[in-house]
Amino acid sequence: MWKRTTTVVTRVRDFDDRPAFDDPPAEVIAEAAGAFGLLASSARLHIVWALAQGESDVTGLADRVGGALPAVSQHLTKLKLAGLVRSRREGRRQVYFVDDPDIVAVVRLLVGQLAERADPNPARRLRGAGA
């Protein structure tokens, strides 16, 4: 019993010994919540994930994420308005991309970690860990 109690106390102490960070301003929290709110849609998260891997036009995105062209276009409009996605014209095509490396990093980290946990093959998880 003593050893178990000691372990719990040590964990709490370790947590309390971490450096404290000041809370960000309310505006920053609200902006982050807005971004996470947009990414709470699995379709939009999939679009951002795909764009984090490389730019694409709406037709390529619709094919990749398995969505209808009008729906993917609407999702892209919302993501653009929020500043999570940008676009440029290439001839007659509109090409979409994620220009914020922090958004790319967050999406890759979260989706990558969840995909790794869901993979039932530990050998494959280890091979992809360095990528």
Side-chain angles (χ1 to χ4, degrees), residues 68-131:
L69 198 68
V72 171
S73 181
Q74 287 178 0
H75 287 306
L76 285 167
T77 298
K78 289 181 180 182
L79 291 166
K80 275 182 69 174
L81 286 172
L84 298 178
V85 167
R86 292 184 48 204
S87 67
R88 72 171 181 281
R89 180 136 326 263
E90 280 189 4
R92 294 173 39 173
R93 292 181 337 139
Q94 193 78 2
V95 177
Y96 295 89
F97 57 97
V98 181
D99 193 32
D100 185 339
D102 294 331
I103 295 295
V104 170
V106 167
V107 169
R108 282 183 176 165
L109 177 67
L110 179 61
V111 174
Q113 288 294 318
L114 292 173
E116 187 176 305
R117 288 181 199 166
D119 189 347
N121 185 344
R124 192 165 48 223
R125 281 199 307 260
L126 290 175
R127 278 196 308 267

Side-chain angles (χ1 to χ4, degrees), residues 8-20:
V8 171
V9 170
T10 301
R11 286 184 183 158
V12 171
R13 189 178 316 121
D14 287 346
F15 179 77
D16 290 339
D17 288 342
R18 291 182 186 168

Side-chain angles (χ1 to χ4, degrees), residues 18-24:
R18 291 182 186 168
F21 295 100
D22 292 334
D23 289 340

Side-chain angles (χ1 to χ4, degrees), residues 1-65:
M1 184 71 175
W2 171 252
K3 188 173 185 178
R4 186 174 190 165
T5 304
T6 303
T7 303
V8 171
V9 170
T10 301
R11 286 184 183 158
V12 171
R13 189 178 316 121
D14 287 346
F15 179 77
D16 290 339
D17 288 342
R18 291 182 186 168
F21 295 100
D22 292 334
D23 289 340
E27 299 82 29
V28 172
I29 296 291
E31 185 178 346
F36 282 119
L38 280 169
L39 295 175
S41 159
S42 59
R44 285 192 290 270
L45 181 59
H46 196 171
I47 289 168
V48 173
W49 168 261
L51 291 175
Q53 311 314 309
E55 56 189 35
S56 179
D57 65 5
V58 68
T59 304
L61 283 170
D63 289 343
R64 181 165 180 179
V65 303

